Coordinates of all heavy atoms in Angstrom, one line a residue:
R1 N -13.8 10.9 10.6 CA -13.5 9.5 11.0 C -11.9 9.3 10.5 O -11.6 9.3 9.4 CB -14.3 8.6 10.1 CG -15.8 8.6 10.6 CD -16.5 7.4 10.1 NE -16.6 7.2 8.6 CZ -17.3 6.4 7.9 NH1 -18.0 5.5 8.7 NH2 -17.3 6.3 6.7
Y2 N -11.1 9.1 11.6 CA -9.7 9.0 11.4 C -9.3 7.5 10.9 O -9.7 6.6 11.6 CB -8.9 9.3 12.6 CG -9.0 10.8 13.1 CD1 -10.2 11.3 13.8 CD2 -8.1 11.7 12.7 CE1 -10.3 12.6 14.1 CE2 -8.2 13.0 13.0 CZ -9.2 13.5 13.7 OH -9.4 14.8 14.1
K3 N -8.6 7.5 9.8 CA -8.3 6.2 9.3 C -6.9 6.0 8.9 O -6.4 6.1 7.8 CB -9.1 5.9 8.0 CG -10.6 5.8 8.3 CD -11.5 5.6 7.2 CE -13.0 5.4 7.5 NZ -13.3 4.2 8.1
P4 N -6.0 5.7 9.9 CA -4.6 5.5 9.7 C -4.4 4.3 8.9 O -5.2 3.3 9.0 CB -4.0 5.3 11.2 CG -5.1 4.9 12.1 CD -6.3 5.5 11.4
M5 N -3.4 4.4 8.0 CA -3.2 3.3 7.1 C -1.7 3.1 6.7 O -0.9 4.0 7.1 CB -4.0 3.5 5.8 CG -3.5 4.8 5.1 SD -4.3 5.1 3.5 CE -3.5 6.7 3.1
D6 N -1.4 1.9 6.2 CA -0.1 1.6 5.8 C 0.3 2.2 4.5 O -0.2 1.8 3.3 CB 0.1 0.0 5.7 CG 1.4 -0.4 5.3 OD1 2.3 0.4 5.0 OD2 1.5 -1.6 5.0
I7 N 1.0 3.3 4.5 CA 1.1 4.2 3.3 C 2.1 3.4 2.3 O 1.9 3.4 1.1 CB 1.9 5.5 3.7 CG1 1.9 6.4 2.4 CG2 3.2 5.4 4.2 CD1 0.6 6.9 2.0
M8 N 3.1 2.5 2.8 CA 4.0 1.8 1.9 C 3.1 0.7 1.2 O 3.3 0.5 0.0 CB 5.1 1.2 2.7 CG 6.1 2.2 3.3 SD 6.7 3.4 2.1 CE 7.7 4.5 3.2
G9 N 2.1 0.1 2.0 CA 1.3 -0.8 1.4 C 0.4 -0.2 0.3 O 0.2 -0.7 -0.8
L10 N 0.0 1.0 0.6 CA -0.9 1.7 -0.4 C -0.2 2.0 -1.7 O -0.8 1.8 -2.7 CB -1.3 3.0 0.2 CG -2.3 3.9 -0.6 CD1 -3.7 3.3 -0.7 CD2 -2.5 5.3 0.0
F11 N 1.1 2.5 -1.6 CA 1.9 2.7 -2.7 C 2.0 1.5 -3.6 O 1.9 1.6 -4.8 CB 3.3 3.3 -2.3 CG 3.4 4.6 -1.8 CD1 4.5 5.0 -0.9 CD2 2.5 5.6 -2.2 CE1 4.5 6.3 -0.5 CE2 2.6 6.9 -1.8 CZ 3.6 7.3 -0.8
G12 N 2.3 0.4 -3.0 CA 2.4 -0.8 -3.7 C 1.1 -1.2 -4.4 O 1.2 -1.9 -5.5
R13 N 0.0 -0.9 -3.8 CA -1.2 -1.3 -4.4 C -1.8 -0.4 -5.4 O -2.7 -0.7 -6.2 CB -2.3 -1.5 -3.3 CG -2.0 -2.4 -2.2 CD -2.5 -3.8 -2.5 NE -3.8 -4.0 -2.8 CZ -4.7 -4.1 -1.7 NH1 -4.3 -4.3 -0.5 NH2 -6.1 -4.2 -2.0
T14 N -1.3 0.9 -5.4 CA -2.0 1.9 -6.3 C -0.9 2.5 -7.3 O -1.2 3.6 -7.8 CB -2.6 3.0 -5.5 OG1 -1.6 3.7 -4.5 CG2 -3.8 2.4 -4.6
G15 N 0.2 1.9 -7.5 CA 1.2 2.4 -8.4 C 2.2 3.5 -8.0 O 2.8 4.1 -8.8
G16 N 2.2 3.7 -6.6 CA 3.1 4.7 -6.2 C 4.5 4.1 -5.9 O 4.6 2.9 -5.8
T17 N 5.4 5.0 -5.6 CA 6.8 4.5 -5.3 C 7.2 5.2 -4.0 O 7.1 6.2 -3.8 CB 7.8 5.0 -6.4 OG1 7.3 4.5 -7.7 CG2 9.1 4.4 -6.1
P18 N 7.7 4.3 -3.1 CA 8.1 4.8 -1.7 C 9.3 5.8 -2.0 O 10.1 5.6 -2.8 CB 8.7 3.6 -1.0 CG 7.8 2.4 -1.6 CD 7.7 2.8 -3.1
P19 N 9.3 6.9 -1.2 CA 10.2 8.0 -1.4 C 11.8 7.4 -1.6 O 12.5 7.9 -2.5 CB 10.2 8.8 -0.1 CG 8.7 8.7 0.2 CD 8.4 7.2 -0.1
P20 N 12.3 6.5 -0.8 CA 13.6 6.1 -0.9 C 13.9 5.3 -2.2 O 15.1 5.3 -2.7 CB 13.9 5.1 0.2 CG 12.8 5.4 1.2 CD 11.7 5.8 0.4
Q21 N 12.9 5.0 -3.0 CA 13.0 4.2 -4.2 C 12.8 5.1 -5.5 O 12.9 4.6 -6.6 CB 12.1 3.0 -4.3 CG 12.4 2.0 -3.3 CD 11.4 1.0 -3.2 OE1 10.7 0.7 -4.1 NE2 11.2 0.3 -1.9
R22 N 12.4 6.3 -5.2 CA 12.1 7.3 -6.4 C 13.5 7.8 -7.0 O 14.5 7.8 -6.4 CB 11.3 8.5 -5.8 CG 9.9 8.1 -5.4 CD 9.2 9.3 -4.7 NE 7.9 8.8 -4.1 CZ 7.3 9.4 -3.3 NH1 7.6 10.6 -2.9 NH2 6.1 8.9 -2.7
H23 N 13.3 8.3 -8.2 CA 14.4 8.8 -8.9 C 15.0 10.0 -8.1 O 14.3 10.7 -7.5 CB 14.0 9.3 -10.3 CG 15.2 9.7 -11.2 ND1 15.7 10.9 -11.1 CD2 15.7 9.1 -12.2 CE1 16.7 10.9 -12.0 NE2 16.8 9.8 -12.7
P24 N 16.4 10.2 -8.0 CA 16.9 11.4 -7.3 C 16.3 12.7 -7.7 O 16.1 13.5 -6.8 CB 18.4 11.3 -7.8 CG 18.7 9.9 -8.1 CD 17.4 9.4 -8.7
N25 N 15.9 12.9 -8.8 CA 15.2 14.1 -9.2 C 13.9 14.3 -8.4 O 13.7 15.4 -7.9 CB 14.8 14.2 -10.7 CG 16.0 14.2 -11.7 OD1 17.1 14.1 -11.2 ND2 15.7 14.3 -12.9
R26 N 13.1 13.3 -8.2 CA 11.9 13.4 -7.4 C 12.2 13.5 -6.0 O 11.6 14.2 -5.2 CB 11.1 12.2 -7.7 CG 10.4 12.0 -9.1 CD 9.7 10.8 -9.2 NE 9.0 10.8 -10.6 CZ 7.8 11.2 -10.7 NH1 7.1 11.8 -9.8 NH2 7.3 11.1 -12.1
Q27 N 13.3 12.7 -5.5 CA 13.7 12.9 -4.0 C 14.1 14.3 -3.7 O 13.7 14.9 -2.6 CB 14.8 11.9 -3.7 CG 14.2 10.5 -3.9 CD 15.3 9.5 -3.3 OE1 15.9 9.8 -2.2 NE2 15.6 8.4 -3.9
E28 N 14.9 14.9 -4.6 CA 15.4 16.3 -4.3 C 14.3 17.3 -4.4 O 14.1 18.1 -3.4 CB 16.4 16.7 -5.3 CG 17.7 15.9 -5.1 CD 18.7 16.0 -6.3 OE1 18.4 16.8 -7.3 OE2 19.6 15.2 -6.4
W29 N 13.3 17.2 -5.3 CA 12.1 18.0 -5.4 C 11.3 17.9 -4.1 O 10.9 18.9 -3.5 CB 11.3 17.7 -6.6 CG 10.0 18.6 -6.6 CD1 9.9 19.9 -7.1 CD2 8.8 18.2 -6.1 NE1 8.6 20.3 -6.8 CE2 8.0 19.4 -6.2 CE3 8.2 17.0 -5.4 CZ2 6.6 19.3 -5.8 CZ3 7.0 17.0 -5.0 CH2 6.2 18.1 -5.2
R30 N 11.1 16.7 -3.7 CA 10.3 16.4 -2.5 C 10.9 17.1 -1.2 O 10.1 17.8 -0.5 CB 10.2 15.0 -2.2 CG 9.5 14.5 -0.9 CD 9.5 12.9 -0.8 NE 8.9 12.4 0.5 CZ 9.7 12.3 1.6 NH1 11.0 12.6 1.5 NH2 9.2 11.8 2.7
L31 N 12.2 17.1 -1.1 CA 12.7 17.8 0.1 C 12.6 19.3 0.0 O 12.3 20.0 1.0 CB 14.2 17.4 0.2 CG 14.5 16.0 0.6 CD1 16.0 15.7 0.6 CD2 13.9 15.5 1.9
Q32 N 12.7 19.8 -1.2 CA 12.5 21.3 -1.4 C 11.1 21.7 -1.1 O 10.9 22.7 -0.4 CB 13.0 21.7 -2.8 CG 14.4 21.6 -3.0 CD 14.8 22.4 -4.4 OE1 14.0 22.9 -5.1 NE2 16.1 22.5 -4.6
E33 N 10.1 20.9 -1.7 CA 8.8 21.1 -1.5 C 8.4 21.1 0.0 O 7.6 21.9 0.5 CB 7.9 20.1 -2.3 CG 6.5 20.3 -2.2 CD 5.9 21.5 -2.9 OE1 6.7 22.3 -3.5 OE2 4.8 21.8 -2.8
M34 N 8.9 20.1 0.8 CA 8.7 20.0 2.1 C 9.1 21.2 2.9 O 8.5 21.8 3.7 CB 9.3 18.7 2.7 CG 8.4 17.5 2.4 SD 9.4 15.9 2.5 CE 10.1 16.0 4.2
R35 N 10.4 21.6 2.6 CA 11.0 22.8 3.3 C 10.2 24.0 3.0 O 9.9 24.8 4.0 CB 12.4 23.0 2.8 CG 13.1 24.3 3.2 CD 14.6 24.4 2.8 NE 14.7 24.3 1.3 CZ 14.2 25.3 0.5 NH1 13.7 26.4 0.8 NH2 14.5 25.0 -0.8

C-alpha cells in the first residue's frame, strides 16, 4: 500500500530537521552517505 506523505510536515511533527536547516556537519555527512 503506497502512502506518499509530506516529509517536511513529518519532520516538523516528529522532531526531525529538514536537511537545509541541519548543522553543516550533518549536511556534509548526508551528501557523502548518499554518494
